[in-house]
């Protein structure tokens, strides 16, 4: 079942600080957890539009957590958040199919815009009975980039 366009955007932040409230903030429900095991418990209980994954998860390695996320909740959209991400870390992250890789925690406005794009794409897919999981998200530097969902 799809969430209504008017519902709150629910985001799980795993070892990620709460986003700065810039621009639109109403309708954003950010849930922060500080361990991978707690995040897995939350994923079992609640539905999230997006999971933001930090690079320093204390009880599980970042890639172990992402592997569990992709295995248990293959449909779950996620993004990586980290300051100095090395080229090898970016390559590893892209193997797991993130929506985006952020250098810093995205603002509330950026998260709401991303969720709006995801919901519009899902609604169009249902209307057109097109369940292809590839689509293009706008990218500031290139105009757009292909991202697998």
């Amino acid at each position: 079942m799809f969430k209504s366009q008017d519902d709150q955007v629910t985001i799980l932040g795993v070892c990620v600080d709460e986003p700065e409230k810039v621009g639109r903030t109403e309708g954003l429900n950010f849930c922060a957890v500080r361990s991978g095991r707690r995040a897995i418990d939350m994923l079992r209980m609640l539905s999230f539009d997006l999971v933001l994954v930090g690079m320093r998860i204390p009880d599980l390695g970042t890639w172990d957590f992402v592997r569990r996320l992709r295995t248990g909740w293959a449909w779950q959209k996620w993004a990586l958040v980290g300051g100095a991400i090395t080229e090898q870390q970016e390559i590893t992250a892209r193997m797991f199919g993130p929506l985006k890789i952020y250098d810093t925690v995205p603002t509330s406005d950026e998260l709401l815009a991303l969720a709006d794009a995801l919901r519009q794409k899902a609604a169009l897919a249902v209307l057109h009975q097109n369940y292809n999981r590839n689509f293009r998200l706008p990218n500031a530097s290139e105009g757009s980039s292909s991202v697998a969902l």
Side-chain angles (χ1 to χ4, degrees), residues 35-149:
S35 78
R37 293 188 203 314
R38 180 69 179 138
I40 291 168
D41 290 342
M42 296 294 287
L43 286 163
R44 287 182 180 137
M45 295 185 294
L46 301 170
S47 172
F48 295 95
D49 292 291
L50 180 67
V51 176
L52 294 179
V53 179
M55 286 299 297
R56 296 191 196 318
I57 301 175
D59 59 340
L60 298 171
T62 298
W63 309 127
D64 288 336
F65 172 77
V66 172
R67 189 174 297 109
R68 289 181 187 194
L69 173 70
R70 301 303 293 156
T71 301
W73 299 270
W75 62 89
Q76 180 65 62
K77 308 302 184 256
W78 74 282
L80 183 66
V81 179
I85 296 175
T86 67
E87 185 177 329
Q88 184 58 47
Q89 289 171 325
E90 182 175 349
I91 291 168
T92 302
R94 292 196 187 280
M95 288 186 334
F96 290 109
L99 283 177
K100 289 190 132 208
I101 296 176
Y102 293 99
D103 290 333
T104 61
V105 177
T107 65
S108 59
D109 200 40
E110 290 172 315
L111 291 172
L112 288 167
L114 180 59
D116 286 346
L118 291 172
R119 287 180 177 188
Q120 280 184 337
K121 180 63 181 173
L124 287 173
V126 169
L127 289 174
H128 298 292
Q129 295 181 355
N130 176 10
Y131 302 107
N132 182 356
R133 296 174 61 100
N134 291 322
F135 80 102
R136 299 177 78 71
L137 282 175
N139 184 334
S141 63
E142 300 173 311
S144 67
S145 66
S146 182
V147 177
L149 295 178

